Amino acid sequence: MNRQVWSVDMKLSREQENEIRYEEKKSLKRKALDYMMITAGSAVYAVAVSMFLDPNSLAPGGVTGIAIILNRITGLETGTWMFAVNIPILLLGMWKFGLRFIFSTIYCTLVTSLITNLLVPLGAVTADPFLAAVAGGSLMALGLGLVFKAGGTSGGTDIIVKLLRLRLPHLKTGFLFLVTDAFIVAASAFVFQNIDTALYAGLVVCINSLLLDVVLYGRDGAKMFFIVSDNHETIAKRILEELDSSATYLSGYGAYSGREKKVMLCILKKHLSPKLEEIVREEDPKAFTIITSASEIYGEGYKNIFSQKL
């Protein structure tokens, strides 16, 4: 009898080991595909900077805009400045959010900076600032979309805004991005002594913001997650810390098991949804998860129900 039990236990143990190995292989393959997508997105973003924006002195906010301005002041390559400006920001992010959160951002920043410098000898595709703004803004959106889809971030002002939100939670994320971008665009007008250039840079910011959602993620406003997991506390903690978002617990009851269950309801901006999927996979691969689009969202961080309906 004992031998039979031992034999069954050994069989179960081997099946469990095989299942673990299979999941590990799937995880490695998924990470490899993610980093391939991040590399492609970084390359597209670098093309936008080095072949459209930088040659036409368009500084479209963020670290990219700062790098273009510093390039004109010092003569040091824009890609080098993109990496240099990001270093202290990445160190701050690593200290505050941890290495796991920041690693893909470091990789994205490094690849973008290198490719930007490598493409400089090819020169500008167009000397028309309007065409450069439209094409550059569109390519920036495409590149960032690929990076976000793979669960990465572009670093820079993304991290700064996240840190500011920790200290100033009453200020909305969109407002903080608008302020930082507007400040950099205004600085470019002063450095380049050309208001037209600054206005075209503002156009790049607008195109990038619009196309990032419309072209790559569809027209819906956000993603809505329903998550049923025994590890709901860990998942909720990571949502708060890593995504600067929150979740609502709904009371649930398993019809088959007869057990009380916590159902997490979470609404996220679309570029953050791949990251939440990754968190759920890491914390509970067997979690029951429903993901759907939410086209109309009102409340903190989204639309105001009174002003939007007027």
Side-chain angles (χ1 to χ4, degrees):
M1 183 68 177
N2 288 337
R3 288 182 179 178
Q4 289 178 342
V5 172
W6 181 79
S7 177
V8 171
D9 286 344
M10 283 292 292
K11 185 178 180 181
L12 286 173
S13 178
R14 285 172 184 165
E15 287 178 354
Q16 289 170 349
E17 286 180 4
N18 290 334
E19 186 177 346
I20 290 169
R21 288 196 192 98
Y22 177 71
E23 290 297 328
E24 286 176 348
K25 286 181 181 178
K26 277 178 64 178
S27 178
L28 286 172
K29 184 178 180 181
R30 189 161 49 237
K31 284 187 182 298
L33 290 172
D34 284 345
Y35 273 90
M36 286 174 64
M37 191 178 291
I38 290 173
T39 304
S42 300
V44 172
Y45 190 94
V47 169
V49 175
S50 62
M51 302 182 75
F52 291 93
L53 305 180
D54 193 12
N56 289 280
S57 299
L58 302 180
V63 166
T64 301
I66 295 171
I68 291 172
I69 292 171
L70 290 173
N71 165 260
R72 298 305 190 275
I73 295 172
T74 65
L76 191 64
E77 291 180 310
T78 299
T80 305
W81 271 121
M82 287 168 69
F83 186 72
V85 173
N86 261 305
I87 289 174
I89 300 172
L90 291 172
L91 290 173
L92 270 175
M94 195 183 304
W95 169 64
K96 202 69 180 175
F97 304 114
L99 182 61
R100 180 172 61 179
F101 171 76
I102 217 76
F103 185 78
S104 61
T105 305
I106 296 171
Y107 177 77
C108 177
T109 302
L110 183 61
V111 172
T112 303
S113 303
L114 286 172
I115 297 177
T116 298
N117 283 346
L118 288 172
L119 292 175
V120 168
L122 297 179
V125 172
T126 177
D128 186 317
F130 177 76
L131 294 178
V134 173
S138 301
L139 288 172
M140 281 179 70
L142 175 59
L144 287 173
L146 290 172
V147 171
F148 289 151
K149 192 71 175 175
T153 69
S154 58
T157 49
D158 293 2
I159 296 172
I160 292 173
V161 167
K162 203 174 277 287
L163 290 169
L164 286 172
R165 282 275 294 157
L166 291 176
R167 298 294 299 272
L168 304 167
H170 59 284
L171 295 179
K172 293 182 179 180
T173 301
F175 173 76
L176 292 172
F177 272 115
L178 179 63
V179 169
T180 54
D181 286 342
F183 178 79
I184 295 165
V185 168
S188 73
F190 176 76
V191 172
F192 301 138
Q193 297 292 302
N194 190 330
I195 190 66
D196 290 345
T197 298
L199 291 173
Y200 282 123
L203 178 63
V204 175
V205 174
C206 294
I207 291 171
N208 179 41
S209 299
L210 290 171
L211 290 186
L212 188 58
D213 270 348
V214 176
V215 175
L216 300 178
Y217 298 106
R219 302 189 65 86
D220 292 323
K223 290 291 185 179
M224 180 165 60
F225 286 73
F226 289 96
I227 305 166
V228 183
S229 169
D230 291 333
N231 295 339
H232 55 84
E233 291 182 357
T234 308
I235 294 171
K237 183 181 178 184
R238 291 187 63 183
I239 290 172
L240 289 166
E241 292 179 353
E242 298 180 24
L243 303 182
D244 191 26
S245 189
S246 186
T248 300
Y249 282 125
L250 307 176
S251 295
Y253 191 84
Y256 178 76
S257 66
R259 291 169 50 204
E260 294 265 355
K261 288 184 178 290
K262 294 285 189 182
V263 181
M264 295 175 62
L265 168 64
C266 185
I267 307 291
L268 287 174
K269 296 289 187 183
K270 285 192 172 180
H271 69 271
L272 293 174
S273 63
K275 181 62 181 174
L276 180 52
E277 292 176 35
E278 181 185 342
I279 288 172
V280 174
R281 279 197 302 265
E282 290 177 356
E283 299 299 336
D284 185 2
K286 295 182 180 180
F288 184 76
T289 308
I290 299 172
I291 307 172
T292 184
S293 295
S295 57
E296 294 278 340
I297 304 171
Y298 299 94
E300 177 64 29
Y302 294 93
K303 293 185 286 187
N304 183 298
I305 192 166
F306 300 106
S307 64
Q308 293 294 327
K309 289 295 184 182
L310 293 177

